[in-house]
Amino acid sequence: EVQLVESGGGLVQAGGSLRLSCAASGFTFDDYTIGWFRQVPGKDREWVSCISISNGLTYYADSVRGRFTISSDNAKNTVYLQMNSLKPEDTAVYYCAITKQIATTPEFYDYWGQGTQVTVSS
């Protein structure tokens, strides 16, 4: 059974940092790309970043490039999203998801975690 469990969300002041984790199980980690999305109520789910586990290539949305860093610990089957210089507009529920492609839209992702709330106060 595929499981993706996010953790690390919370409340932080603008300019602060958080590190999200996505612990994965139930599939061959190296075969997938793992992505992070975020969603606020009433809006579509927004792609944030993804990493190809097999070759380590990383991709970022323009809105987070230079502030967020995605990485993986293959020994732990875990992907991280280090978020620095956080802004109030980063407030959202953050989800991790898996796909066998490099994709920036939700429909290409096969499995999703339950999400973790990130709130950035001004």
Side-chain angles (χ1 to χ4, degrees):
E1 177 190 5
V2 173
Q3 286 195 322
L4 300 168
V5 180
E6 302 96 336
S7 61
L11 173 64
V12 65
Q13 288 189 329
S17 298
L18 283 174
R19 188 178 79 157
L20 305 184
S21 299
C22 173
S25 61
F27 61 96
T28 303
F29 196 64
D30 291 359
D31 286 351
Y32 284 83
T33 292
I34 298 185
W36 285 97
F37 287 78
R38 63 189 182 186
Q39 189 169 26
V40 298
K43 292 193 175 181
D44 292 338
R45 197 162 289 191
E46 176 192 12
W47 174 75
V48 173
S49 179
C50 64
I51 182 168
S52 172
I53 300 301
S54 62
N55 59 25
L57 290 177
T58 59
Y59 305 84
Y60 298 94
D62 289 344
S63 58
V64 306
R65 186 175 292 111
R67 300 188 298 122
F68 291 10
T69 303
I70 191 170
S71 62
S72 69
D73 183 335
N74 294 4
K76 295 182 178 179
N77 281 13
T78 299
V79 168
Y80 303 99
L81 186 68
Q82 177 67 43
M83 306 186 297
N84 298 330
S85 302
L86 282 161
K87 304 175 182 180
E89 52 263 43
D90 295 317
T91 296
V93 177
Y94 283 71
Y95 299 88
C96 63
I98 62 172
T99 177
K100 286 201 171 185
Q101 312 175 55
I102 301 298
T104 62
T105 52
E107 61 265 28
F108 290 102
Y109 285 77
D110 304 309
Y111 296 92
W112 294 80
Q114 82 290 349
T116 186
Q117 176 71 47
V118 171
T119 303
V120 184
S121 63
S122 57

